[in-house]
Amino acid sequence: MMAGCSVFVLVAFLGFFLSVWPFFVWGSLWKTDVLLQASLVGFLPFGALGAAAARKAGVPGAGALVASSLAVATFLFLRLEQVRLSGLAQQTPEIEYEASLGIWLPIGWILAACLIAALGTKAEKPPAP
């Protein structure tokens, strides 16, 4: 039981930090290409970690991936809202992409994480009677 809990905590925190660091490093998130690059650089290691955790640890790894994706989605929504509002306040240039992307990117992140978790988890066979 402790191994499952430890895997959950490790994968959840590591997945979150692997996902969000590009959004701190690249400052010009109002540009479409920078947002795409930050999303890919964040999602590729996140997805690889999640697939490996779901395959090796099973349900705790898959659950940690989904839990981490919920935290990342919250972060993405708030970060993209911050970028959008700073553009409206004329502190930065206006965003190049649709404002609705601030909703759809986090939702897509969650759905992709759920898909990776579902596909990566081994199917458990029922015990023989």
Side-chain angles (χ1 to χ4, degrees):
M1 184 162 123
M2 285 300 292
C5 294
S6 300
V7 166
F8 185 93
V9 169
L10 181 69
V11 170
F13 278 111
L14 191 58
F16 177 77
F17 291 117
L18 283 174
S19 299
V20 301
W21 75 266
F23 295 94
F24 289 116
V25 174
W26 285 300
S28 52
L29 289 175
W30 60 86
K31 297 180 180 177
T32 305
D33 59 338
V34 175
L35 180 63
L36 180 63
Q37 289 172 353
S39 298
L40 286 176
V41 169
F43 188 76
L44 291 177
F46 173 79
L49 172 73
R55 178 60 64 189
K56 293 285 185 185
V59 174
L65 178 70
V66 173
S68 180
S69 74
L70 295 173
V72 171
T74 303
F75 168 81
L76 285 175
F77 174 75
L78 293 174
R79 182 70 174 116
L80 293 178
E81 279 295 301
Q82 178 187 24
V83 170
R84 185 182 68 81
L85 291 175
S86 65
L88 291 176
Q90 298 177 349
Q91 295 172 346
T92 61
E94 291 209 21
I95 57 175
E96 295 178 351
Y97 46 86
E98 292 291 323
S100 63
L101 189 65
I103 299 284
W104 291 111
L105 182 62
I107 290 173
W109 198 285
I110 293 170
L111 293 175
C114 290
L115 183 65
I116 290 172
L119 294 176
T121 307
K122 295 179 188 175
E124 294 184 14
K125 297 176 184 167

